[in-house]
Amino acid sequence: MKMKAAVMYEPRKPMVVEVVELDPPKAGEVLVKMSATGICHSDLHFFAGDVPTPVPVILGHEGAGVVQDVGAGVSSVKKGDKVVLSFFPSCGVCRFCLGGQPMLCDVGSASPLGTMPDGTRRVHRVQDGSDINNFSMISTFAEYTVAPEFSVIKVDAQAPLEKLCLLGCGFTTGFGSVTNAIHIRPGDTVTCIGCGGVGLSAIQGAALSGASKIIAVDVHESKLALAKKFGATHAVLSRGDVRADVKEIRAITDGLGSDYALELVGGAHMDTTAAIGYRAIRKGGTLCLVGIGATSIKALPIDPLSMVMLNKTVKGVFYGQAQVKGDIPRYYELYKAGKINLDDMVSKEMRLEDINAGFEAVIRGDEVVRQVIRFS
Amino acid sequence: MKMKAAVMYEPRKPMVVEVVELDPPKAGEVLVKMSATGICHSDLHFFAGDVPTPVPVILGHEGAGVVQDVGAGVSSVKKGDKVVLSFFPSCGVCRFCLGGQPMLCDVGSASPLGTMPDGTRRVHRVQDGSDINNFSMISTFAEYTVAPEFSVIKVDAQAPLEKLCLLGCGFTTGFGSVTNAIHIRPGDTVTCIGCGGVGLSAIQGAALSGASKIIAVDVHESKLALAKKFGATHAVLSRGDVRADVKEIRAITDGLGSDYALELVGGAHMDTTAAIGYRAIRKGGTLCLVGIGATSIKALPIDPLSMVMLNKTVKGVFYGQAQVKGDIPRYYELYKAGKINLDDMVSKEMRLEDINAGFEAVIRGDEVVRQVIRFS
């Protein structure tokens, strides 16, 4: 079938919104008509070339839609079901999926960038039939997508997909990093570095877990103001000076440092943000690395002597250690109960045709939280 | 009182074994006649200046002896009791001691290098009465020591102190790093990098915990042979080539990498050993940093992108996360039951006068495990 999609032919060059050809779903696959998709900072990492991916490619990995058709053997969803798309597949049969760590799924780990698990692609250029690469097996910057069954999670008929699309990546990554990867006890102190979509989700997780002090750190005043709205108790305006930022965080935590810190920025600045996080935690504390770093950063700004002497832990946390089949419905319940705020995380809605303007806004840093592309 | 001690006046210069003056124990302190003390690699880090410490100083921090006198208020030991000296104090009243993490004790963390908790010193030069610095509050390279009550752990009258001295640092650091800091399930796979005293203790912990594959990595064939005696199932002779070593470890672990790895070397080579350990672990795996690194190493050779994507954890583990009042008697019981081997960890006994030869042997790398100084 023909559909419109945003195709990236080259990093850092405007994507081309054009008509492409989409294959029907194969066995174990699902055709989804997209309702909404967020522009996530991770898309930007690939757009900017911080992390290489084969081109041409349809980016987008934080989406939700309605099932239009299913391939042979698909049993968990049917035509008309509303679904959230998960950016990392969980095959359900590997030792990691069944060991409670589906975010380490062997299919997800082993699949080459750009293709479906079987190594083939579903989207082609209409001009010459040549393949267009897939992204995260869901390529959501398009009117439709063909996804593995294990990448879609059913939600109920009332689900507001233009909000729940955030559960497919950003919210789940941030919220899960504080609620799955670490165990915050009520009264613990938490430093959250970076107050974008992932950061605000982490702050919500820390607040719901009963943290006494939630210290938001960002370079933008506007994001700090928003952080307070989402539950931060303190704000530190970073000027990129590790020593000064840490001094301020320590002053808030009685000189000790916080029990936990989370790096929620990633990219090429991770050198600085990880250093702030590492020094912000107390002896025996834990730093979670959540942001997707640039390939240019080869080392962590952490001296191993202090790490041993102070018994500090640094955890890489992928996708909020999500078990999406359980976590995404659970987060939706929290949303329905008014316990988590997704509505205010969507700062702007736009059409697919506006995608390049949306990316430019992220690059400029004036995307306060999430821009969501809605499909009619 | 007068006693003999090995005084280091300058890093890398031979220590001087000479008569010094020792103060009587103050309130809360214990006078211990040393029976035995190990030469630990950490002593070497300070001797070599990898980690600066004020001089003159009496090093030594892995000892055991017999109580000769106690200061006011001391209740847990009396004259004639055999004790193991712990190199890190646990005051017993701070939030960390009482929170189950006495290895993060506020007294231990806050005390300046070179003094007792109250900021004063107990040993003086006979020539001019000037102070000699303390080390770890126990300075065991001397015939006697005055230690805080909370640095001594009573053992029974039959205790072989010339072996149990190892429980005051090396054994407890290595064994605890695999039995306290991580939870090895029977059948898990463990890579141990470095097969000195700490490494062999970690290997024993992994073996007792039921690890299926215990991969010993060292640059010395002799240490690898010993590692197998202590429970290693596989040996990798490292040539310092990270890629080659990791390839070998992965081949042993079905291409996946091991569930855990431990860096048990420290010092100025930690750059290489930590890189091997990080790459040796599987996705979702944990690397423990156990060795005391040199201050010259400012960064960890770990790219944060892979750390997040592969959900890897790096834990700094201080002193085997020991709770010494419980752990040291427990390890002694394991020793009595024949479950752990301390006897073969003592490769040589010597007199205090031979200390410089002992250090030279460690520097040359021909100390197969532990050299223990015995006092008559």
Side-chain angles (χ1 to χ4, degrees):
Chain A
M1 62 181 286
K2 297 228 170 5
M3 65 167 182
K4 270 195 297 188
V7 183
M8 177 177 95
Y9 284 92
E10 211 179 318
R12 292 179 298 277
K13 291 282 168 64
M15 287 168 273
V16 179
V17 177
E18 62 184 350
V19 173
V20 295
E21 182 74 32
L22 176 67
D23 292 342
K26 291 188 182 177
E29 295 180 348
V30 178
L31 173 66
V32 176
K33 182 176 193 302
M34 298 303 302
S35 298
T37 178
I39 298 178
C40 172
H41 218 103
S42 302
D43 289 311
L44 188 69
H45 293 320
F46 289 89
F47 177 76
D50 288 341
V51 187
T53 196
V55 290
V57 60
I58 300 169
L59 294 174
H61 64 281
E62 185 180 87
V66 179
V67 175
Q68 297 298 304
D69 194 9
V70 299
V74 170
S75 61
S76 64
V77 292
K78 61 181 192 305
K79 184 173 176 177
D81 282 345
K82 286 186 171 180
V83 292
V84 173
L85 291 121
S86 172
F87 87 89
F88 192 80
S90 307
C91 72
V93 295
C94 75
R95 63 176 276 199
F96 292 98
C97 279
L98 293 171
Q101 297 183 300
M103 81 290 181
L104 298 177
C105 170
D106 278 339
V107 169
S109 301
S111 297
L113 276 171
T115 77
M116 298 296 274
D118 67 1
T120 65
R121 297 164 181 82
R122 299 288 171 275
V123 183
H124 319 280
R125 298 189 70 210
V126 288
Q127 295 87 335
D128 56 9
S130 62
D131 282 344
I132 295 177
N133 285 285
N134 203 316
F135 185 62
S136 290
M137 302 180 198
I138 56 176
S139 287
T140 61
F141 291 156
E143 291 178 310
Y144 292 85
T145 191
V146 165
E149 179 183 11
F150 48 62
S151 295
V152 304
I153 296 95
K154 184 179 169 177
V155 288
D156 65 32
Q158 288 71 47
L161 297 180
E162 72 282 10
K163 311 294 188 226
L164 295 194
C165 61
L166 301 186
L167 302 186
C169 175
F171 181 84
T172 297
T173 295
F175 193 84
S177 64
V178 292
T179 57
N180 286 332
I182 56 176
H183 174 61
I184 292 179
R185 300 170 309 169
D188 280 345
T189 54
V190 185
T191 301
C192 294
I193 301 157
C195 302
V198 172
L200 294 177
S201 304
I203 287 169
Q204 294 196 57
L208 261 184
S209 301
S212 61
K213 290 177 181 173
I214 302 171
I215 304 162
V217 182
D218 205 290
V219 292
H220 298 292
E221 289 273 18
S222 61
K223 294 198 180 182
L224 290 174
L226 206 56
K228 289 207 162 181
K229 181 172 176 178
F230 281 85
T233 61
H234 296 75
V236 171
L237 181 66
S238 173
R239 288 178 179 84
D241 176 340
V242 174
R243 187 182 300 254
D245 291 351
V246 170
K247 192 175 169 191
E248 211 170 325
I249 295 166
R250 287 198 175 267
I252 296 166
T253 53
D254 304 320
L256 187 69
S258 62
D259 297 313
Y260 298 98
L262 298 105
E263 196 288 341
L264 303 145
V265 180
H269 296 295
M270 197 161 179
D271 235 7
T272 302
T273 49
I276 294 169
Y278 176 73
R279 298 194 201 175
I281 55 172
R282 65 163 170 83
K283 56 184 175 180
T286 297
L287 165 66
C288 293
L289 302 180
V290 180
I292 301 297
T295 48
S296 60
I297 302 184
K298 306 291 186 196
L300 280 175
I302 291 172
D303 70 291
L305 175 60
S306 76
M307 191 160 169
V308 171
M309 299 298 288
L310 299 176
N311 209 81
K312 289 185 174 184
T313 297
V314 181
K315 287 172 77 79
V317 180
F318 181 59
Y319 197 8
Q321 293 187 187
Q323 188 275 78
V324 289
K325 287 284 164 72
D327 286 358
I328 288 180
R330 186 161 56 89
Y331 297 158
Y332 178 34
E333 288 301 317
L334 284 170
Y335 172 77
K336 283 194 279 189
K339 301 281 190 184
I340 61 173
N341 180 355
L342 296 175
D343 298 353
D344 291 325
M345 290 185 60
V346 180
S347 53
K348 190 174 181 184
E349 294 190 348
M350 55 177 56
R351 297 175 314 136
L352 182 63
E353 285 72 10
D354 303 322
I355 191 166
N356 290 305
F359 269 63
E360 283 161 22
V362 181
I363 293 167
R364 280 197 309 270
D366 63 354
E367 167 235 19
V368 180
V369 198
R370 262 303 187 273
Q371 300 170 105
V372 167
I373 294 169
R374 293 191 68 168
F375 300 85
S376 53
Chain B
M1 62 180 286
K2 299 225 169 2
M3 66 167 182
K4 272 195 294 188
V7 183
M8 178 177 98
Y9 284 92
E10 210 179 318
R12 291 179 298 280
K13 292 280 165 66
M15 286 168 273
V16 180
V17 177
E18 63 184 347
V19 173
V20 296
E21 181 75 29
L22 176 67
D23 293 341
K26 292 188 184 178
E29 295 181 347
V30 179
L31 173 67
V32 177
K33 183 176 193 302
M34 297 304 304
S35 298
T37 179
I39 299 179
C40 171
H41 218 103
S42 301
D43 289 309
L44 188 69
H45 293 321
F46 289 89
F47 177 76
D50 288 342
V51 187
T53 195
V55 289
V57 62
I58 301 170
L59 294 175
H61 65 281
E62 185 181 88
V66 180
V67 175
Q68 296 298 303
D69 193 9
V70 300
V74 169
S75 61
S76 64
V77 293
K78 60 179 189 309
K79 186 174 175 176
D81 282 347
K82 286 187 170 179
V83 292
V84 173
L85 290 121
S86 172
F87 87 89
F88 192 80
S90 306
C91 73
V93 295
C94 75
R95 62 176 276 198
F96 291 98
C97 279
L98 293 170
Q101 297 184 300
M103 83 288 180
L104 298 178
C105 170
D106 279 339
V107 169
S109 301
S111 297
L113 275 170
T115 76
M116 298 295 275
D118 67 0
T120 66
R121 296 161 180 85
R122 300 287 170 276
V123 184
H124 319 281
R125 298 191 69 209
V126 289
Q127 294 87 335
D128 57 7
S130 63
D131 283 344
I132 295 177
N133 286 285
N134 203 314
F135 185 63
S136 289
M137 301 180 200
I138 57 175
S139 286
T140 62
F141 292 156
E143 291 178 309
Y144 292 84
T145 190
V146 164
E149 178 182 10
F150 48 60
S151 294
V152 303
I153 295 95
K154 184 179 170 176
V155 288
D156 66 33
Q158 287 71 46
L161 298 181
E162 72 281 8
K163 310 292 190 236
L164 295 195
C165 62
L166 301 185
L167 302 186
C169 175
F171 181 84
T172 298
T173 295
F175 193 85
S177 65
V178 292
T179 57
N180 286 333
I182 56 178
H183 175 61
I184 292 179
R185 301 170 306 170
D188 280 346
T189 55
V190 184
T191 300
C192 293
I193 300 156
C195 302
V198 173
L200 294 178
S201 305
I203 287 169
Q204 294 197 56
L208 262 184
S209 302
S212 61
K213 291 178 181 172
I214 302 172
I215 305 161
V217 182
D218 205 291
V219 293
H220 298 292
E221 289 272 18
S222 61
K223 294 198 179 183
L224 290 174
L226 205 58
K228 288 207 165 179
K229 182 171 175 179
F230 281 84
T233 60
H234 296 75
V236 171
L237 181 67
S238 172
R239 288 179 180 82
D241 176 340
V242 174
R243 189 182 299 255
D245 291 350
V246 170
K247 193 176 170 191
E248 210 170 325
I249 296 166
R250 287 197 174 267
I252 296 166
T253 52
D254 305 320
L256 186 69
S258 62
D259 296 313
Y260 297 98
L262 297 104
E263 196 288 341
L264 303 147
V265 180
H269 297 294
M270 197 160 179
D271 235 9
T272 302
T273 49
I276 294 169
Y278 176 73
R279 297 193 202 176
I281 54 173
R282 65 163 170 84
K283 56 185 176 180
T286 296
L287 165 67
C288 293
L289 301 180
V290 179
I292 302 296
T295 48
S296 59
I297 302 183
K298 305 291 187 197
L300 280 175
I302 291 172
D303 70 291
L305 176 60
S306 76
M307 191 160 171
V308 171
M309 298 299 287
L310 299 175
N311 210 80
K312 289 186 174 183
T313 296
V314 181
K315 285 172 77 80
V317 181
F318 180 58
Y319 198 7
Q321 293 188 187
Q323 188 276 79
V324 289
K325 288 285 165 70
D327 286 357
I328 287 181
R330 186 161 57 89
Y331 298 158
Y332 178 33
E333 288 300 318
L334 285 170
Y335 171 76
K336 284 195 278 190
K339 301 281 191 185
I340 62 174
N341 179 354
L342 296 176
D343 297 354
D344 291 324
M345 289 185 63
V346 179
S347 53
K348 190 173 180 186
E349 294 190 348
M350 55 176 59
R351 297 174 314 135
L352 183 62
E353 284 74 9
D354 304 323
I355 191 165
N356 289 306
F359 269 64
E360 284 161 21
V362 181
I363 292 167
R364 280 198 309 270
D366 63 355
E367 166 236 22
V368 179
V369 198
R370 259 308 185 269
Q371 301 170 105
V372 167
I373 294 169
R374 292 190 70 168
F375 300 85
S376 50

